[in-house]
Amino acid sequence: QDDLDIDEIWSQLDSQLPSAPTKTSNSPVRQIINYALFFLLIFFFKDNLDQQTLPLNPTLSSLKQGNLFIEESLEKEVNSEKDKDENLLVVKKKDQTTETNNIKEIEQNNFADQIKLSEDRKATQNLEINNSNIESSDIEEIAADAVESANMADEKKGESYFSTRDITLNYLDPRPADLEYIITTTFPKAWPTDGIPAPDTSENKTPFIKLNSIGAVGNIKNSWVINNATRASFNNESLINTEVTYTCDFGVSGQFKIRTQQIIQLSYWFSAGNTQNYFQYHNANYSRKEFSMAYQSFSADLLQPLFSTDNYLIIGFQFAKIGAVEETLVGNSFDLSNNYSNWNYGIDFGLQKKFYIHHKVSFQPAIRFHYGLSNIFTGNEFIPREFDYTRPASISLDLRFFYHFIK
């Protein structure tokens, strides 16, 4: 055995073995996939570029013009109110002068009445002295009439003074009542608010999160099972070659709208799986090996608006329960469920677009990338767990149909 010529023997064996398919990166299937992803991305961001080149919304400009018109009309009304108040003050000043002159005339008349009243009292006293034959009852009646007339004159003077005092404003030495009157007449209690839109407080009354829509979801995905065999296939000198495989998943989904225009999207995939096919030498034959894994998963995504409310950036988390794991080689199937964990979790990233078919129904395609974070290989009697670190991954095109309770 030590004397064998390895290079010569290998060249003879290589000529007898069936030739392996060449690895070409520009295969027709891969070219079709690349073109499809390229046109999908262009179609996805086409609306964003159109929205950025559009002029300002005419409704917004008309709304701004309406606000300017309302402000000008409000300013004119306030100025007219000020002019009215100034004219009112001028009229009141004139009324003050007239009322002051009236008060002086009333006081002079009252003073003359008092002098006349005192003269009448003196005459009455002289009459009492000179005419002693007048009865005492007549004297008392005359005195009472004189006192009553004097009191009436005093009351008339007081009434005229206080009634005039209430409407006469002293601007040099104002009283509290005068200040209150000036304030109430100069500054109206309610400014004109006709034409001013009331502030919208409905947003503050809406709940922080509410159910927006429910629907069905399916996808077509290029699935991967990244392990030692898959990593070795990326080496050109390796004898292992991977085959592009596709699977389909189905489930139900619901969306919850947040007040900040974000959306929480929950999905339950009741039929999901990952497959990975290889070509490798087995017993001197270049054979096809199929690896399949079935599971059910639950995903929670945060949809962040991107450029508009119809484009979203997906940031999510997926938690899966792994079911049957099988491997098929040369027509023989092997159950490997005991070699793999029952649970798996990973992260999701992607882009999602919304198209309204009806005002209550929408179609939302998405490109999603999933990558598992845990090692699902638990090991066996031949290979320890740490020697074959295995995690699922996929690139999928999601197709979602939603019925919207609110638009």
Side-chain angles (χ1 to χ4, degrees), residues 150-164:
N151 292 336
M152 290 176 64
D154 293 339
E155 290 177 359
K156 183 177 180 181
K157 176 183 177 182
E159 290 178 358
S160 62
Y161 173 74
F162 286 109
S163 61
T164 308

Side-chain angles (χ1 to χ4, degrees), residues 110-126 146 149-150:
N110 292 334
F111 183 71
D113 293 337
Q114 290 180 355
I115 294 174
K116 184 177 180 181
L117 181 61
S118 61
E119 292 177 353
D120 293 337
R121 289 179 178 176
K122 290 180 180 179
T124 304
Q125 292 178 357
N126 294 329
S149 61

Side-chain angles (χ1 to χ4, degrees), residues 286-307:
Y286 196 68
S287 305
R288 186 171 185 264
K289 183 174 69 172
E290 300 178 1
F291 179 90
S292 62
M293 180 177 60
Y295 58 87
Q296 297 178 355
S297 68
F298 176 82
S299 63
D301 304 325
L302 175 65
L303 303 185
Q304 174 65 40
L306 190 65
F307 304 118

